[in-house]
Amino acid sequence: MGGTFQALDGGGAAIVLDDIEISILRSLAVQLLELIGPGEPEPAADADPLAALFAEGPSEPPSDPALARLFPDAYGGPAGPQAPGADPAELAAMSAEFRRFTENDLRTRKREDALAVVRSLDAVAPAGGGEAELELTGELPMRWLGALNDLRLTIGARLEITEDDESAQLFRLPDDDPRKPMVMAYLWLGGLQETLIETL
């Protein structure tokens, strides 16, 4: 897995992927879609558009650690901003209120990012030699960037990575460690994310 994103003339990014890399990326994006869950049902034709706009989402944080990493509390908690001397109950109430009005939209965006990855991978077919060039233009580079970030957050939660410097320890895992494939995917996705950021 050695492909990196390169800038395209006129904007966007391109990467050469082999059929195994395409398969891995597609599989990870599909698993992310399954983790995020289905979208909200389409409103009925006679539904009040204003009511749909202000539809409420969940107020409790997800119990799955990976989902909790994707949808963290807005206030307090390990991922939220801290306020010295703030009342934890008040921070929890503020987080619940914020989550109630934002999580549905955030889930939709993350779902659309992962779907964009799946669809763009489905549109490329490896030529002779088993490689294909994928070009990302328009909104696709940002969609891919969002999905790559979400994939790394999810895998990082599964590996229980809490500090950036812990990734150096992951390099030293023995080959027979069952976490090794996930670690390799985590590090590879980090390289893709980094080179995509550089092209933008």
Side-chain angles (χ1 to χ4, degrees):
M1 295 188 232
T4 59
F5 282 100
Q6 306 293 323
L8 284 172
D9 293 338
I15 188 170
V16 174
L17 298 168
D18 64 32
D19 53 355
I20 294 173
E21 292 168 326
I22 291 170
S23 176
I24 291 170
L25 277 170
R26 190 183 188 289
S27 174
L28 290 172
V30 167
Q31 290 176 59
L32 180 62
L33 283 167
E34 291 170 356
L35 178 68
I36 293 170
E40 295 298 312
E42 287 293 319
D46 60 348
D48 179 0
L50 192 59
L53 183 64
F54 291 102
E56 293 183 12
S59 58
E60 294 295 319
S63 58
D64 183 311
L67 284 173
R69 185 82 60 97
L70 291 175
F71 305 105
D73 280 335
Y75 306 98
Q82 303 294 319
D87 176 21
E90 184 180 340
L91 290 177
M94 290 168 54
S95 286
E97 189 74 0
F98 186 82
R99 181 181 297 280
R100 199 158 53 99
F101 291 108
T102 60
E103 186 169 313
N104 284 346
D105 288 340
L106 187 56
R107 278 183 185 267
T108 298
R109 195 193 81 224
K110 289 179 182 300
R111 191 177 300 108
E112 288 172 354
D113 290 348
L115 271 172
V117 169
V118 172
R119 289 177 179 148
S120 53
L121 290 170
D122 285 348
V124 298
E131 292 185 334
E133 182 175 33
L134 173 68
E135 292 189 357
L136 304 179
T137 57
E139 68 174 14
L140 279 177
M142 294 307 291
R143 292 272 182 209
W144 267 71
L145 199 54
L148 289 172
N149 186 60
D150 290 343
L151 286 169
R152 289 193 78 237
L153 287 172
T154 300
I155 294 172
R158 294 291 186 239
L159 291 170
E160 299 181 348
I161 296 172
T162 56
E163 301 283 340
D164 286 341
D165 61 357
E166 282 189 45
S167 61
Q169 297 174 2
L170 299 177
F171 278 115
R172 296 190 288 276
L173 284 179
D175 289 341
D176 60 352
D177 190 303
R179 297 172 296 166
K180 188 76 171 193
M182 256 201 309
V183 167
M184 297 308 294
Y186 177 81
L187 297 172
W188 177 51
L189 291 169
L192 293 178
Q193 186 180 19
E194 184 177 341
T195 60
L196 183 52
I197 289 170
E198 287 170 0
T199 68
L200 301 177

